[in-house]
Amino acid sequence: MGPLGPGPNGPINEQEQVDKEMMIEYINTFKDVLTRENKMCHFTASSWIVNKQRTKVLMIYHNIYQSWAWTGGHSDGDENLLHVALKEAKEETGLKNLKVLKQDIYSLEIVTVDCHIKRGKFIPSHLHLDCCYLFEADENEPLRIKEDENSGVKWIDIEKATEVTNEPKMIPIYQKLNDKLGIWRKQN
C-alpha cells in the first residue's frame, strides 16, 4: 500500500499522523480492509490531478455526493493503491495519459461516508481509509463523464477547489492537497 511510515514520504501533519496510526490499527485488526466486505472501514485510492503548470486541478461532479470532488474509488481487494487511483482517474475522466508525479502516497486521510443508496442498495455509514496520489495530465486532452458515477468533469483553478465542493469535510483535505503541492513544487 505504499509507505505509511515516517520519513520524507510520511505524514506531513497531525491529522495525517493520527490517520496513519488508525489505518495501521485497522490493518492489524481486520483481514478484510481492502474490500467492501468490511462494512465499517475499507481502503480507497484517490487522485489529485494537476495540469503541467500546476494552476488547475481536474475534478468530477460526483453523483452521490452532489459535489465537485477528486477522482477515486474502492480498492476492492487490489493492494496496489496507486494502480487503483490510476484506473479510477482514467475511468472517471476519460483521460488516457496520466503522468504519476509521485510514486508514493501523496496524502492520507480517513474520510467519513454517510449512509446512502447506491445502485438501489442501502450503504451504511462507514470510513474510507484513503490514500491519495499525485498525477499530471494535459488539460487539452479530451474528457468524458462516467454517467453511472459523475455528471461533470472539468479543470478548475487550483485555488477554487475548496470553493466548488459542497462537502464541508472535504475543504480542509483539498486545501491540504494544494498546500502540499506548493511544498512539492519547491522540492522538485
Side-chain angles (χ1 to χ4, degrees):
M1 282 187 258
L4 292 180
N9 300 317
I12 191 171
N13 61 20
E14 184 179 8
Q15 169 267 311
E16 283 195 2
Q17 181 61 40
V18 170
D19 284 358
K20 179 196 89 166
E21 291 167 6
M22 289 179 67
M23 287 177 176
I24 291 169
E25 186 173 326
Y26 292 142
I27 289 168
N28 291 332
T29 303
F30 302 108
K31 297 194 184 315
D32 58 356
V33 291
L34 285 173
T35 72
R36 288 183 251 194
E37 294 299 312
N38 187 316
K39 303 281 189 229
M40 185 177 90
C41 61
H42 43 259
F43 274 91
T44 57
S46 59
S47 354
W48 202 237
I49 305 169
V50 295
N51 65 350
K52 290 179 183 180
Q53 297 77 26
R54 315 291 187 255
T55 57
K56 295 181 182 175
V57 61
L58 187 61
M59 299 182 87
I60 61 166
Y61 193 82
H62 199 287
N63 291 340
I64 291 175
Y65 305 127
Q66 292 293 294
S67 179
W68 287 100
W70 57 11
T71 63
H74 294 88
S75 68
D76 287 333
D78 187 345
E79 64 184 37
N80 183 339
L81 295 178
L82 174 59
H83 171 261
V84 174
L86 194 57
K87 176 181 67 95
E88 292 290 333
K90 288 179 177 181
E91 285 177 3
E92 294 176 1
T93 66
L95 289 172
K96 297 193 183 333
N97 302 299
L98 279 166
K99 178 181 176 183
V100 178
L101 292 179
K102 189 172 180 340
Q103 291 287 325
D104 297 322
I105 295 168
Y106 180 58
S107 182
L108 293 172
E109 30 275 320
I110 296 178
V111 181
T112 58
V113 179
D114 292 335
C115 63
H116 59 276
I117 304 295
K118 184 173 185 178
R119 297 183 181 112
K121 183 179 176 189
F122 176 78
I123 307 297
S125 297
H126 60 280
L127 300 174
H128 280 174
L129 312 176
D130 193 77
C131 297
C132 181
Y133 293 87
L134 182 62
F135 300 129
E136 176 188 284
D138 181 346
E139 65 183 296
N140 295 312
E141 186 175 338
L143 303 172
R144 66 156 173 70
I145 62 171
K146 186 172 189 285
E147 290 183 11
D148 64 329
E149 292 188 22
N150 64 58
S151 54
V153 180
K154 72 177 178 178
W155 288 98
I156 295 171
D157 288 337
I158 204 152
E159 300 86 22
K160 304 264 185 206
T162 58
E163 297 172 22
V164 298
T165 184
N166 295 332
E167 298 178 275
K169 68 183 172 194
M170 298 306 292
I171 292 170
I173 293 172
Y174 296 158
Q175 185 61 56
K176 179 183 71 166
L177 296 175
N178 284 343
D179 292 346
K180 284 181 125 178
L181 186 63
I183 295 167
W184 184 84
R185 286 177 73 176
K186 290 176 185 172
Q187 296 173 344
N188 295 287

